[in-house]
Amino acid sequence: MFHSERHGMTTLRGATLAHVTAVATVVFVAGCSSTTTPGAPEAGAEAGAAGATGGSAGAGAGGKAGGGAGGGAGGAAKDGGADAPSSQGLRLQMRVTILPQALVAVHSVGGDGGARHGGERDAGEKDGATAGDGGIAAALGAAMPLPGVEVCVYQDSSIPCATTQADGSFTMTGLPMRTNLALTLKKSGYYSYLLPIQTASADMDGRSNPAQMAPSGGPAPDLGIAVDLQNKGLIQIVAIAFGGTAAMVDAGAFTTVPGTKVSLSPMSGNGPYFINGSDEFDLSATSFVGIAANYYNVAAGNYTLTFSNPGFDCEPVLFPFGQFGWPLTTPAHSIGVLVVPGYITGSVVALCSKAATIVATDGG
C-alpha cells in the first residue's frame, strides 16, 4: 500500500463525474484476457510516483478546488461523508456499470501522429458511428449496472474482497485512513481495471461516480502500433473544467480544456493519444482536444502524470474522496498512478480552473 497525508487540500463538491469518467473508458485491445493476475510492479519504475506523498498544491478556485459550491480548503475530515471511521477501519461504497458501446474509440484522424508516437500509421476512416458530444449523455444514461465484479485491494489480502450486486454496487470494509491504495476490478468477459484511490478520514460513498468496465474482445484501436495488454498496462486520463453544455456531460457541469498537455514520468510505452469530441483518436494532437487521452504499452510500476496549461491549473479531484488517482504535492499539477500488466488504470481525472491573474497597482 502507499501512504500519504493531505495538506490544505481543496475538494470537488456538488457535481458528479460519472459521465466524464465513462468517456475516457474508450480503449480496447483485441484478444486480450480480462482475468490476468497482477504481478508486482517492476522495481525500475518505482521512482515514478514513489508512493505519492502528501496532498496537492495549487488550490484556488478550481483544480480539484472549486466544485459546484466553490471549493475552498477541504479538510480531510469532511471527505467521503460525515460518518466517523470505526475501530475496524473505513467503509467504501462504490458502483460499477457497463461502458456503452457507442462510446468506443477505435478509429483515428489527423496528421503524422503515428510517427510521432513511434511507428507508421494510416489514419482511420470516420464512420459516423461514434456518439459524439451530443450523444454522450444519452449513451451514459442508458449504462447498465454490472453485477458479479470482484473488487480487491491490490496486494493486500488482509482486506476482504467484495463483489458487485445486482445494482452494480459494492461495499468494502476495513480500509485504512488517508492511504493511497489501488482497487482491482475483474469479471470474466470484461477488461480488468485498476483504480488508484486515496482514502479519506471517514467512510466513503462514491456511488454517484461509478466506475465503467468495457466488454473484452473489441477491435484494436487504429493507432499504427501494436497494443500489448498482456505484458503491459494502459492508462486512461481525463482533463475537464467546470462549464460547457448539457450535451457534453452531466447537466452542463463540465467542459473540455483545449491546449492542456500531459506528461508521464518516467516515460514508458506509447502516448499520449488524444481523443476528440467524435470519439476518434486525433493523431495530430499534442494536447487535449476533447476530455480524454490514453497511454499504451506502459511497463509495470508507479508513475506521475503532470498537467500543464498556461491559462489553467489542473489538479486532482478529492471529493467525495481521492477517487481518480493519488494527489501529489510535488511536482505541482500532478497525479500519481500505478500500472500493472493486464490492467487498464483509470480513469485518472484532473479538474482544471482558470489560472489566477495578478494585477499590479501603483498604489496611487
Side-chain angles (χ1 to χ4, degrees):
M1 288 190 289
F2 307 88
H3 299 275
S4 70
E5 294 188 8
R6 304 184 192 132
H7 306 279
M9 306 201 68
T10 53
T11 60
L12 170 65
R13 303 177 188 277
T16 175
L17 294 177
H19 290 182
V20 172
T21 55
V23 177
T25 315
V26 286
V27 285
F28 303 95
V29 184
C32 288
S33 169
S34 64
T35 57
T36 303
T37 300
E42 297 174 3
E46 292 292 336
T53 302
S56 177
K64 53 179 182 326
K78 295 182 180 180
D79 294 342
D83 295 336
S86 70
S87 59
Q88 303 302 314
L90 300 180
R91 181 181 72 245
L92 169 65
Q93 294 176 288
M94 288 182 62
R95 195 161 60 91
V96 181
T97 60
I98 301 172
L99 176 72
Q101 287 294 321
L103 298 182
V104 174
V106 175
H107 295 294
S108 62
V109 296
D112 61 355
R116 173 171 60 84
H117 293 294
E120 299 296 326
R121 61 108 190 113
D122 294 322
E125 296 291 333
K126 181 177 180 180
D127 63 5
T130 55
D133 288 353
I136 290 175
L140 289 166
M144 300 296 293
L146 185 58
V149 177
E150 181 187 55
V151 184
C152 300
V153 176
Y154 177 62
Q155 290 190 333
D156 191 344
S157 59
S158 68
I159 299 175
C161 296
T163 302
T164 58
Q165 304 304 304
D167 62 353
S169 67
F170 69 89
T171 300
M172 184 171 283
T173 58
L175 299 179
M177 293 191 300
R178 300 186 181 185
T179 300
N180 287 349
L181 47 80
L183 302 180
T184 60
L185 278 60
K186 296 171 60 177
K187 180 179 172 67
S188 178
Y190 290 80
Y191 289 101
S192 298
Y193 286 77
L194 189 77
L195 307 182
I197 70 168
Q198 184 182 84
T199 60
S201 57
D203 290 342
M204 299 157 285
D205 189 343
R207 288 174 294 179
S208 62
N209 296 318
Q212 287 82 27
M213 295 180 65
S216 57
D222 177 23
L223 298 174
I225 61 170
V227 177
D228 181 3
L229 197 55
Q230 296 286 350
N231 305 298
K232 304 291 184 179
L234 188 158
I235 306 174
Q236 296 180 160
I237 310 162
V238 167
I240 52 171
F242 283 105
T245 63
M248 184 59 201
V249 279
D250 187 27
F254 302 103
T255 188
T256 60
V257 193
T260 300
K261 295 180 179 292
V262 62
S263 62
L264 180 69
S265 179
M267 179 59 196
S268 178
N270 306 93
Y273 291 95
F274 298 97
I275 301 169
N276 64 24
S278 296
D279 304 322
E280 298 168 319
F281 294 98
D282 186 342
L283 299 182
S284 66
T286 58
S287 60
F288 281 85
V289 290
I291 65 172
N294 305 317
Y295 280 93
Y296 294 88
N297 301 325
V298 182
N302 292 322
Y303 292 89
T304 298
L305 291 165
T306 300
F307 299 82
S308 61
N309 187 318
F312 286 82
D313 293 325
C314 299
E315 306 295 345
V317 174
L318 195 62
F319 186 84
F321 57 99
Q323 192 172 348
F324 304 106
W326 300 329
L328 298 176
T329 52
T330 304
H333 317 306
S334 297
I335 302 175
V337 299
L338 174 68
V339 173
V340 173
Y343 282 77
I344 297 173
T345 296
S347 295
V348 180
V349 181
L351 182 61
C352 305
S353 64
K354 287 190 175 181
T357 301
I358 299 176
V359 179
T361 63
D362 60 9

